[in-house]
Amino acid sequence: MAYSDKVIEHAENPRNVGTLDKEDPNVGTGLVGAPACGDVMRLQIKVTDGGVIEDAKFKTFGCGSAIASSSLATEWLKGRTLDEAETIKNTDIVAELNLPPVKIHCSVLAEDAIKSAIDDYRKKQASRRAQG
Amino acid sequence: MALKLPIYMDYHATTPVDPRVLETMIPYFTEKFGNAASRSHRFGWEGEEAVGYAREQVAALINAEKPEEIVFTSGASESNNLALKGVAEFYKDKGNHIITTKVEHKAVLDTCKRLEKQGLTVTYLDVDKTGLVSVDDVRNALTDKTILVSVMLANNEVGAVQPIGEIGKLCKERGVLFHVDAVQGIGKTEFDVRAMGVDLASITAHKIYGPKGVGALYVRRSKPRVRISAQVDGGGHERGMRSGTLNVTGIVGFGKACEVLTKTWRDEVRKVEAQRNRLAEKIFKGLDEVYLNGPALDSGKRLPNNLNVSFAYVEGEGLMMAIKDVAVSSGSACTSASLEPSYVLRALGVDEELAHTSIRFGLGRFTTDEEVDFVADLVVGKVKKLRDLSPLYEMAKEGIDIKSIQWAAH
């Protein structure tokens, strides 16, 4: 199967690779997928007190399409509010990267990672408020 | 010499046609195009003669007693189908049990599945963690209903070379026919149908620097005389075992490829083995957590051109993309439509996690030392880069046990 130019570009030059401090209350972490399935994505967001994503980082174990999907997701997340971030759909990723049908699960995983990171952030904030 | 990209290191999948083979084939496209079955004119006689000569060349490579024991087919998948279905049908009054292994090619496994639907019983033997089948397991699986044992000469993924001679001897003692899918091993490891007691053997041209679309089934003619029921009906070609106008051009090339290999294979084994070992050494020196799949390199039980390794924490298809100037293959799920990792690696008991990180390198006749060095350096560099990108590698380095995490299957 041939890859689209956009997948190759992201896989060769992944954006926002890295790790944020998962103990930071302003950081939300999503870890999705499974090693036995061949894909694991960790996506992290750092959110301002105003609810805007100021930074996003990822690390992905997976094929080129999985790496590209998560790289693209971090690009899209930066600067968005959480509510805006939640509107990102896997189909948007499929369209942007021209993913073939067998790679749609990569985009689904990226959407799951976004949702999971936002969830984690909101839970942290809620427990902080509960404690505070 | 400047390196030419992309580099081909997937010789298990197929091989380029050797220029000597191509040269031999060319006249048979245009000038000597006769139908080998045409008995009434020179064009036909030329074709028949060329096929007869090729039959001798193929027979010589596997040490068949007579050229007539070679039945030309469209390739090894057809040969495997013909051997299994042909024996099952012909000997149905004698028995209904076939023994094979879990690491055979799909052309054998799927044929067995079909035969099971038709009422036959098939035993799929386990292999050890290096991919080798045990002769005792074959012996223990034999029943008075067993009509055929089918074991590959060498595995296409992990290069495990099966104890064919010993299994052949056992089958002779028990009066059971023995079929060998010899596609991957031929020309890379000893294969002698007479010395090894092989009754049927599948081979194909395109794995040995011949053209695609032509192969053969060796069918023993004496001690015992093996009979098979034809699976393609028609003009009664190939002594009734396989009808269809002969692919004279392809067969001529196949014959030449066999002739070249008969002369050169021992030297070639030495060459590719040295290159394979050099590749392995550089990779293992350059990286931690790299695991060899299949028999040890110096065990004498592994194809000399095969290297199959798992690069922990780096998914195979992701790595293949990162080294896209090098043609290799992976046991990763992502390379197949099924999204299941390699059934061969699973049969060896390789963890699914590690199966997803496996890469198969296949070296061959035209592999150069420069290519080996380039590929080794590239792989080491890219694996390091992808590990920097891998959450699993980071977690492992932090001392987190990846297996202790509750992963959600997806």
Side-chain angles (χ1 to χ4, degrees):
Chain A
M1 171 187 42
Y3 298 100
S4 73
D5 292 344
K6 281 179 181 167
V7 168
I8 292 172
E9 209 279 313
H10 269 281
E12 287 183 348
N13 308 293
R15 330 291 200 255
N16 307 310
V17 174
T19 308
L20 298 171
D21 177 9
K22 62 178 187 295
E23 306 305 328
D24 183 335
N26 286 338
V27 168
T29 300
L31 181 66
V32 297
C37 302
D39 298 294
V40 175
M41 284 182 193
R42 188 190 65 199
L43 196 147
Q44 296 182 298
I45 51 173
K46 186 168 188 184
V47 185
T48 66
D49 292 335
V52 175
I53 297 170
E54 59 173 334
D55 200 3
K57 296 278 186 203
F58 86 97
K59 282 198 177 188
T60 289
F61 163 81
C63 64
S65 302
I67 292 169
S69 296
S70 36
S71 169
L72 178 68
T74 58
E75 263 194 332
W76 281 354
L77 287 171
K78 280 200 207 181
R80 293 201 190 200
T81 65
L82 291 178
D83 291 343
E84 286 166 352
E86 277 187 312
T87 65
I88 296 173
K89 289 273 166 282
N90 83 292
T91 47
D92 305 332
I93 295 170
V94 171
E96 175 66 18
L97 295 176
N98 294 322
L99 294 182
V102 295
K103 294 297 177 190
I104 286 174
H105 70 278
C106 298
S107 69
V108 172
L109 207 57
E111 185 186 320
D112 289 349
I114 293 170
K115 295 212 156 71
S116 170
I118 293 172
D119 250 22
D120 182 57
Y121 169 77
R122 286 195 169 133
K123 274 183 193 148
K124 270 187 180 172
Q125 292 295 314
S127 73
R128 203 163 87 165
R129 276 194 299 276
Q131 282 165 12
Chain B
M1 195 176 71
L3 214 53
K4 193 168 155 274
L5 299 177
I7 290 168
Y8 191 71
M9 268 200 196
D10 202 13
Y11 278 85
H12 299 298
T14 192
T15 61
V17 170
D18 188 293
R20 292 166 284 189
V21 170
L22 178 62
E23 197 187 351
T24 316
M25 291 172 67
I26 285 172
Y28 291 89
F29 282 106
T30 49
E31 299 155 38
K32 304 179 179 182
F33 60 86
N35 186 330
S38 298
R39 296 285 157 82
S40 52
H41 51 67
R42 189 166 159 172
F43 294 89
W45 302 332
E46 252 174 9
E48 190 185 14
E49 193 188 319
V51 168
Y53 186 60
R55 220 183 282 285
E56 290 174 19
Q57 291 169 312
V58 177
L61 178 62
I62 61 173
N63 196 28
E65 193 179 349
K66 303 184 196 82
E68 296 74 33
E69 295 175 317
I70 304 300
V71 174
F72 287 114
T73 66
S74 64
S77 285
E78 187 191 336
S79 299
N80 285 333
N81 271 264
L82 178 57
L84 273 68
K85 292 173 183 169
V87 165
E89 189 179 330
F90 193 89
Y91 293 95
K92 61 177 185 292
D93 294 333
K94 200 180 165 213
N96 62 356
H97 179 227
I98 292 175
I99 298 170
T100 188
T101 81
K102 288 184 176 168
V103 295
E104 297 301 305
H105 190 270
K106 287 285 183 189
V108 167
L109 293 176
D110 287 354
T111 300
C112 286
K113 292 266 167 348
R114 185 178 294 275
L115 290 171
E116 280 183 297
K117 280 184 202 154
Q118 294 168 2
L120 273 86
T121 309
V122 181
T123 302
Y124 301 91
L125 296 175
D126 286 321
V127 292
D128 70 11
K129 63 183 183 2
T130 68
L132 292 166
V133 69
S134 129
V135 181
D136 284 337
D137 285 353
V138 178
R139 182 179 294 112
N140 294 335
L142 286 167
T143 72
D144 56 0
K145 292 285 180 201
T146 308
I147 49 171
L148 183 70
V149 173
S150 179
V151 176
M152 67 200 330
L153 174 58
N155 182 264
N156 49 310
E157 290 192 32
V158 296
V161 177
Q162 303 293 359
I164 296 302
E166 290 172 69
I167 299 171
K169 188 164 169 271
L170 171 66
C171 289
K172 286 288 137 316
E173 286 165 13
R174 301 290 292 266
V176 172
L177 295 178
F178 183 33
H179 167 250
V180 175
D181 173 359
V183 167
Q184 287 292 340
I186 202 131
K188 301 184 191 84
T189 184
E190 195 77 43
F191 185 62
D192 179 323
V193 291
R194 274 191 276 176
M196 293 176 167
V198 174
D199 298 312
L200 300 121
S202 303
I203 53 176
T204 193
H206 78 101
K207 309 277 195 195
I208 56 170
Y209 312 94
K212 292 167 185 61
V214 58
L217 180 65
Y218 160 78
V219 184
R220 180 182 283 273
R221 296 253 283 182
S222 65
K223 294 183 214 164
R225 180 185 176 86
V226 178
R227 310 292 298 275
I228 51 174
S229 296
Q231 302 299 307
V232 179
D233 295 312
H237 307 75
E238 298 299 89
R239 295 171 313 289
M241 283 186 265
R242 197 273 190 181
S243 288
T245 297
L246 289 174
N247 171 8
V248 176
T249 317
I251 289 168
V252 165
F254 185 17
K256 182 68 182 178
C258 289
E259 183 196 292
V260 171
L261 208 57
T262 303
K263 290 179 191 151
T264 61
W265 79 272
R266 286 178 195 279
D267 292 335
E268 254 170 47
V269 162
R270 274 191 287 278
K271 188 211 81 142
V272 291
E273 188 161 33
Q275 290 178 329
R276 189 273 314 270
N277 291 349
R278 182 184 177 90
L279 178 65
E281 196 184 316
K282 286 192 142 208
I283 287 172
F284 281 93
K285 256 190 197 155
L287 294 164
D288 62 346
E289 299 220 45
V290 179
Y291 303 96
L292 181 72
N293 298 312
L297 301 185
D298 59 359
S299 62
K301 291 177 178 172
R302 187 178 191 117
L303 290 180
N305 69 323
N306 171 281
L307 181 66
N308 186 316
V309 284
S310 286
F311 298 95
Y313 317 116
V314 175
E315 199 274 334
E317 193 188 337
L319 179 55
M320 287 201 295
M321 187 171 183
I323 57 166
K324 64 177 166 30
D325 287 332
V326 183
V328 292
S329 78
S330 170
S332 152
C334 287
T335 56
S336 67
S338 68
L339 296 182
E340 289 284 322
S342 152
Y343 68 93
V344 171
L345 294 180
R346 280 187 298 158
L348 268 62
V350 174
D351 277 355
E352 277 194 67
E353 286 97 306
L354 278 178
H356 280 289
T357 70
S358 75
I359 296 283
R360 178 188 69 178
F361 301 88
L363 286 65
R365 184 175 289 170
F366 304 108
T367 303
T368 65
D369 292 346
E370 290 75 18
E371 288 176 339
V372 168
D373 288 345
F374 176 87
V375 170
D377 292 343
L378 184 70
V379 166
V380 169
K382 294 294 184 183
V383 167
K384 285 182 177 164
K385 188 183 161 207
L386 287 169
R387 281 181 174 171
D388 286 342
L389 208 72
S390 169
L392 302 177
Y393 190 65
E394 184 185 306
M395 291 157 81
K397 290 288 135 183
E398 285 171 0
I400 298 167
D401 179 9
I402 308 286
K403 289 188 191 305
S404 71
I405 297 173
Q406 286 283 326
W407 299 99
H410 60 280

